[in-house]
Structures are given as structure tokens and as C-alpha cells.
Amino acid sequence: MDFELRRAREKLEKEQRERKQRAKLKLDKERKAKEEAQKQRDAIEAVQRSRRLDAMEAQLKAEQQMGENLLAGGGIAFYRMLEAVPFQGSGDKIKLPPSCFTELSDQGAFDKGPMYFQLSVVHQEGPSEIKDSEKGTVRTTHSGVLEFTADEGSVGLPPHVWSNLFPVDTPKTSLVEVRYVRLSKGTYAKLQPDGIGFSDLPNHKAILETSLRQHATLSQDDILTVKYGELTYRLRVLELKPSSAISVLETDIEVDIVNPGVESEGTNQYVLKPIVFGTSDSGLVEEGNYMYYKFSIDDKTWENIVSGDVNIEVKIDAEANGGDTDLYVSKHPLIFPNRHQHEWSSHDVGSKTLILSSKDRNLGAGTYSLAVYGFKGTTTYQVSVHVQENSKRTVGQQAVHLSSMDVDTVECRNCKHFIPTRSIALHEAYCSRHNVVCPHVGCGIVLRIEEAKNHGHCEKCGQALHLGEMEKHMKVFHEPLMCPCGVVLEKEDMVQHQASDCPLRLIPCRFCGDMVQAGSCAMDVRDRLRGLSEHESICGSRTAPCDSCGRSVMLKDMDIHQIAVHQKN
């Protein structure tokens, strides 16, 4: 009996312990579940709190951005992030999508005058890929707008804007922030050419002014590209007033062009080295390259040239080291003569001399450019310009001398020269043994027999030449040359073409004073009758106030206005 009671008691105690243990485990499990639920609630609340903070921060940033846009845009908020697409154009005017036109129009931007935009590059690399030097630097420039025809999501950038935003490498996908801004009219600009030679251009400030007509804005640290014919010059914008970004539309700007700080080595720009009468300069020119010099004829020297007392002698002495040069001379404003464009030239083999006299119609007081062209190999040369005095012989002395020679003379049957009768027999005997007359039609030059074997005539033009010069003559005068406009001509025809017919030739505009490309014929029939080029027809369409009545009159009609309205010639 006691045994059964003990077993029952032990069994009861065991069941009680198991229930207590299960209850304890249940309590622990419930406590852990509550703790886990609390952690999840805390995490959710933290995420929601973070999202609320981010939303508030984004809202504050958006409000701040909107405020900045409104402030920069003068009450107009316009901001887009677009993919940059290049297009060929001049100036700094960009192309925007049609949706931008609608957005700007709805805000009344077109009623506030010309529109300007600030463009900034968006870095798309990860934080670890962005260079330390670029983290705090964002390339920014400004522009006007050309048209609203770009594809949606893209912005068309002309070369000027593209090169300033992406000066080194073009990224695979180039995003640009485009923001509408208001810019004040500029009053001052300081520019510095990247290389030497820009200041040699005649009236280079007028050339710069013509280039700026294609721009709406200027930004500090931008590179401004100025073209003069086939040459291109780069000018860095160092300083602007009244701010670091200005409008250049319908305003007069004081421009200060400073000399380059350091002359760049190996520059591909042409430079005019001054040379003084009576002095020489030596140099080295490689095949296909030019070396340029300039000299001036003052009024006093020109008076002596006109009187026939002096001539101008341009001379090149070249070393006989297998190379050869050509000589080209032109009068400004043609400052860089070449094979296509020049006024005087010499293609002699070796040393060469040009004599400029009053008989040359294009000669006069002014500045001249001299080009030494490397025709073959690498040539060491020495160039000089001299004022050469003419020999002074009176007309009377010359007449007496000639009249005395005309007395009792006979024509030599071999050389066709007139020889005194008393010595004709001796002369003909000597002349027939040592001299020979060139049989070429129209030549008739008398040559020594040993010289005759090196005498020849060009098959195309018939010019008499030394056989050693024949190869160069054929290459210079008869090898077809291609003009940049696409026309293929020989040298003489090419020089004439580029002087009077080529649409790419540089001419002085009678309205802006700049050297510009002539272009094709003017579209307007009246302008063609006036002899205006394509550029002059467009440039002359600008208006200016009449000095007499103040009315706005087109520049090309100003002379007619003065005659018809004010009876002024």
C-alpha cells in the first residue's frame, strides 16, 4: 500500500514538474515573440521615420531648388536633365525639345526677352570612380536657344558648347542639367589667346566682334574659338564684368586682349616674324610647311619707288642640301600667302629673288607678308628684304650709244643679232662653231652648244626652262590643285579662281570691316546688282540709326537713304 502511494506521489510530482517546465518554455517563447515583434515595430518605425525625413529633406531641397531657379530665372522656374547630343553649328545656341517650349511659354518666358540657359555636366560615375579633383568641380557654361526641335529627353549642343562642357573625353552617356537663367548685359571682357599669332591679324578686334555676333553669352573660363579663313584661334575668357556670365546681345563690350602667358611650343598656328629692310633672318623649313615674315613700305619709301629711284628686292639664299623652297609675297589684308593665294611668287630652283617695282599694280605703301614654303626636303635658308637703288643713266646717253650701234650693221645669219659690218665674217665663223639657236617656235634664244643640251620647253605651256627645273615646273604649275571649295585647277587658274571666284575667299566686308568668306551670290537680286557678296547681303541687313534723322535704316540702304531723304552725296 505504501509502495503504491509513493509511486502515485512520484508520478504526480513528475507531472507537475513537466507542466511547470512547459509553462516556463511557453512564457519564454511568448516573451521572445513579443521582443521580436517589438524589434520589428521599432525597425518599421525607424524606416518610416527615415522616409519621412528623406521626404522632408527632398521637399526642402526641391523648394530650395525652386527658389534658386525662380531667383536665377527672374520668376521663371525651368530645370531639365537631358542627354547631350552634338550637332554642327556656329555660336552657342542650343536645341531643346518641343516640351520645353510649352513649359517656358506657359510661364511667360518669351515675354521677358532673349532666353539664356545654364548648362552643367552631371557626373554619372559612382563615388569611388569620381576623381578627387572632380568631386568639387562641375563644368558649367551658358548658352542661348536656337530652336525647339530636339528629340524629347535630349539637348543639341553646337561645337562651342560641347567643347567647353566636355573638353577632354566624351562620356558614353552625357547628361546635362539645363536651367533657365537671366543674365545681365556685359560691359567688359578680358581674353587671352592660347597661342601666338592672333594679334597679327589685321583688325583682329573686328574679327572677334564678328565671331561674337553668333553668340548670345560668354562665361568665365570658357574657350572662345575664332576662325579666320582656314585658321582657327582659341581665346580663353579670363574675366568678365559685371558678373562671371554675361549676355553679349545688343550691347557694347570693352574687350581687352592680353598676350599669351607662355608661348606654346610646337604650335600649329602661323606667326608673322618682322623683318626690316637691309637685314636678314635664317631659318629651317620642312617640306609642306610655311615660315612667315612681314615687312612694311612706308610713305617715303613708296615715293622713291614711284619715282623709279628704288625697287624692293626680296631674296632667299638656300643651302644646296637636297631641299628646295618657294617664295610667296602678298599685301595685307591677305596675311598668310600660300600656293593658292598670293600676289607675287618665285619658283626658281635654289636661291631666288623677287623684284617689286612701281610697275606692279598691287604694290603700294602698307604691310606685306612673305612666305617661305618648303617645296622639297628640309631646307636651311636665309631671307632678306632690301631697298635696291636703280642704275642712273640719262636717256640722252643711252640714245647716243644706240645710234652709234645702228651705223653700218648686218644681221648675223646664226644668232640674228646685228653686228658691225667690219667684223661680221669673224663673228659668223665663231658664232656658228660655238652657238646654236633654239629651234622651238617662238623661242629663238641663242645658247652655247654645251648649254643647249640642258635647254628645253614645257610641253604644256611652252615656257623655256633648264632641264633640271622641268620636274619642279610641272609639279608647281601643271599638277592639279584642289581648292577647299572642291574645284580642281592648275596653279595659274587656281590663283585667279581664289582671287575672284572662290566662295571661300576672304574679302573685307564693307559693313563690319572684317575679313570674311565671300560666299555665293547674294539671294536678293538688288544686292547682286550692287555687287554685294552673300555675307555682305546678310551683314548689311543690320540696322543702325541715321546720323541725320535718327531713323533705323539698314546699313546697305544707308547711302540711298542719305541721298533720297537728306540730299547728301
Side-chain angles (χ1 to χ4, degrees):
M1 185 71 178
D2 293 337
F3 176 73
E4 293 178 357
L5 290 173
R6 189 171 58 252
R7 283 187 59 113
R9 188 172 57 250
E10 290 177 353
K11 182 178 179 182
L12 179 62
E13 291 176 355
K14 183 179 180 181
E15 290 176 354
Q16 289 177 348
R17 284 196 302 270
E18 289 177 354
R19 283 196 298 269
K20 289 180 179 179
Q21 189 175 3
R22 284 196 297 272
K24 184 179 180 181
L25 290 175
K26 184 178 180 181
L27 290 173
D28 291 341
K29 187 176 181 180
E30 290 177 354
R31 187 180 67 253
K32 289 182 179 179
K34 289 180 180 179
E35 291 177 355
E36 188 66 28
Q38 185 64 36
K39 287 182 180 179
Q40 290 181 358
R41 285 195 297 271
D42 293 344
I44 292 173
E45 289 180 0
V47 171
Q48 292 177 345
R49 186 166 54 251
S50 176
R51 287 179 179 175
R52 287 194 299 271
L53 291 175
D54 289 344
M56 293 175 61
E57 184 178 352
Q59 184 176 359
L60 289 174
K61 188 175 181 181
E63 291 176 356
Q64 183 180 2
Q65 180 95 18
M66 182 67 70
E68 291 178 357
N69 291 339
L70 287 171
L71 182 63
I76 297 175
F78 174 84
Y79 172 85
R80 288 286 187 94
M81 188 176 294
L82 304 171
E83 181 180 354
V85 177
F87 76 92
Q88 291 302 316
S90 56
D92 66 345
K93 296 180 177 64
I94 62 175
K95 295 181 180 180
L96 291 173
S99 59
C100 296
F101 175 87
T102 304
E103 184 176 346
L104 289 166
S105 178
D106 292 342
Q107 299 185 60
F110 293 92
D111 299 332
K112 294 183 177 292
M115 291 184 291
Y116 309 104
F117 298 89
Q118 177 182 300
L119 290 82
S120 303
V121 176
V122 178
H123 291 294
Q124 300 176 68
E125 301 87 357
S128 60
E129 298 178 2
I130 299 177
K131 297 180 181 179
D132 294 337
S133 60
E134 295 182 355
K135 287 183 179 179
T137 303
V138 177
R139 290 191 292 273
T140 301
T141 187
H142 295 77
S143 72
V145 60
L146 180 64
E147 55 191 34
F148 294 89
T149 58
D151 295 334
E152 289 296 334
S154 66
V155 54
L157 305 182
H160 168 80
V161 178
W162 185 276
S163 61
N164 281 297
L165 287 178
F166 311 107
V168 184
D169 297 325
T170 302
K172 294 181 180 179
T173 56
S174 46
L175 289 181
V176 175
E177 294 179 357
V178 181
R179 180 181 301 177
Y180 177 90
V181 294
R182 300 296 299 170
L183 297 180
S184 56
K185 291 187 176 182
T187 58
Y188 173 81
K190 180 187 289 187
L191 308 177
Q192 183 182 48
D194 275 3
I196 56 179
F198 180 73
S199 58
D200 288 328
L201 299 179
N203 202 6
H204 54 273
K205 288 195 175 182
I207 298 171
L208 178 61
E209 179 183 350
T210 301
S211 179
L212 285 176
R213 288 201 193 103
Q214 301 173 343
H215 290 254
T217 67
L218 273 184
S219 301
Q220 192 165 309
D221 295 328
D222 271 4
I223 298 295
L224 181 65
T225 301
V226 178
K227 290 189 176 182
Y228 183 81
E230 298 180 358
L231 301 179
T232 300
Y233 297 91
R234 292 159 52 87
L235 289 82
R236 182 175 297 275
V237 182
L238 298 182
E239 182 182 353
L240 296 171
K241 291 180 182 180
S243 61
S244 59
I246 60 172
S247 166
V248 296
L249 294 177
E250 298 179 357
T251 181
D252 293 328
I253 300 178
E254 179 187 353
V255 178
D256 187 12
I257 299 177
V258 299
N259 293 327
V262 178
E263 294 185 1
S264 55
E265 297 181 359
T267 178
N268 59 356
Q269 298 295 347
Y270 298 138
V271 180
L272 291 175
K273 296 177 63 177
I275 186 168
V276 182
F277 287 130
T279 63
S280 61
D281 187 86
S282 58
L284 188 72
V285 61
E286 298 180 354
E287 182 175 341
N289 292 340
Y290 291 89
M291 295 295 292
Y292 283 103
Y293 299 85
K294 64 178 179 180
F295 62 92
S296 298
I297 299 178
D298 55 26
D299 293 335
K300 183 177 180 181
T301 304
W302 173 240
E303 290 176 1
N304 293 333
I305 295 175
V306 172
S307 64
D309 295 338
V310 298
N311 293 328
I312 300 298
E313 180 189 63
V314 182
K315 186 175 182 181
I316 291 181
D317 293 319
E319 294 184 3
N321 54 0
D324 195 11
T325 62
D326 287 334
L327 172 63
Y328 302 101
V329 178
S330 68
K331 185 178 181 181
H332 289 192
L334 178 57
I335 60 174
F336 295 119
N338 53 39
R339 294 188 300 162
H340 296 169
Q341 293 179 304
H342 57 266
E343 296 180 44
W344 299 275
S345 64
S346 176
H347 305 278
D348 296 337
V349 176
S351 299
K352 46 191 66 67
T353 302
L354 268 179
I355 302 297
L356 308 180
S357 66
S358 57
K359 297 179 181 179
D360 298 313
R361 292 184 305 168
N362 297 330
L363 193 67
T367 305
Y368 293 78
S369 292
L370 184 159
V372 180
Y373 174 68
F375 177 79
K376 179 181 178 182
T378 301
T379 308
T380 302
Y381 65 89
Q382 189 171 20
V383 60
S384 60
V385 181
H386 296 275
V387 177
Q388 184 185 53
E389 293 186 2
N390 293 329
S391 57
K392 297 182 179 180
R393 293 180 298 180
T394 63
V395 177
Q397 290 174 340
Q398 188 178 21
V400 171
H401 179 69
L402 291 176
S403 62
S404 63
M405 294 297 296
D406 290 339
V407 175
D408 197 15
T409 59
V410 179
E411 183 182 30
C412 173
R413 288 173 292 180
N414 186 50
C415 66
K416 308 302 180 183
H417 289 173
F418 286 92
I419 308 298
T421 304
R422 63 178 179 274
S423 58
I424 185 64
L426 183 62
H427 169 83
E428 286 186 340
Y430 178 87
C431 186
S432 60
R433 291 196 307 270
H434 295 88
N435 298 333
V436 62
V437 179
C438 177
H440 190 274
V441 178
C443 181
I445 188 173
V446 180
L447 301 165
R448 303 286 291 181
I449 292 178
E450 58 271 17
E451 296 175 351
K453 60 183 179 180
N454 293 323
H455 178 76
H457 288 266
C458 175
E459 296 178 357
K460 290 191 173 184
C461 63
Q463 181 176 341
L465 297 166
H466 189 279
L467 293 182
E469 299 177 347
M470 188 66 70
E471 181 182 357
K472 181 175 182 179
H473 172 82
M474 295 298 294
K475 185 175 180 64
V476 171
F477 289 92
H478 301 298
E479 185 177 273
L481 300 173
M482 176 172 284
C483 180
C485 71
V487 176
V488 178
L489 297 169
E490 292 185 357
K491 177 183 179 294
E492 297 294 339
D493 295 332
M494 179 63 72
V495 173
Q496 178 64 28
H497 165 74
Q498 291 212 345
S500 58
D501 302 326
C502 180
L504 301 181
R505 72 187 186 278
L506 295 179
I507 61 171
C509 175
R510 66 188 74 181
F511 302 114
C512 65
D514 190 8
M515 292 294 294
V516 297
Q517 292 182 353
S520 56
C521 294
M523 298 293 293
D524 192 289
V525 177
R526 293 172 300 176
D527 291 344
R528 288 202 297 270
L529 293 175
R530 297 177 190 177
L532 299 182
S533 66
E534 182 181 17
H535 167 85
E536 290 175 328
S537 177
I538 298 172
C539 186
S541 298
R542 294 182 293 118
T543 60
C546 173
D547 295 335
S548 300
C549 63
R551 290 176 55 188
S552 293
V553 182
M554 286 195 295
L555 295 177
K556 60 185 178 183
D557 293 336
M558 189 66 73
D559 53 350
I560 300 176
H561 171 80
Q562 292 287 347
I563 296 172
V565 178
H566 304 291
Q567 288 77 44
K568 293 182 179 180
N569 294 327

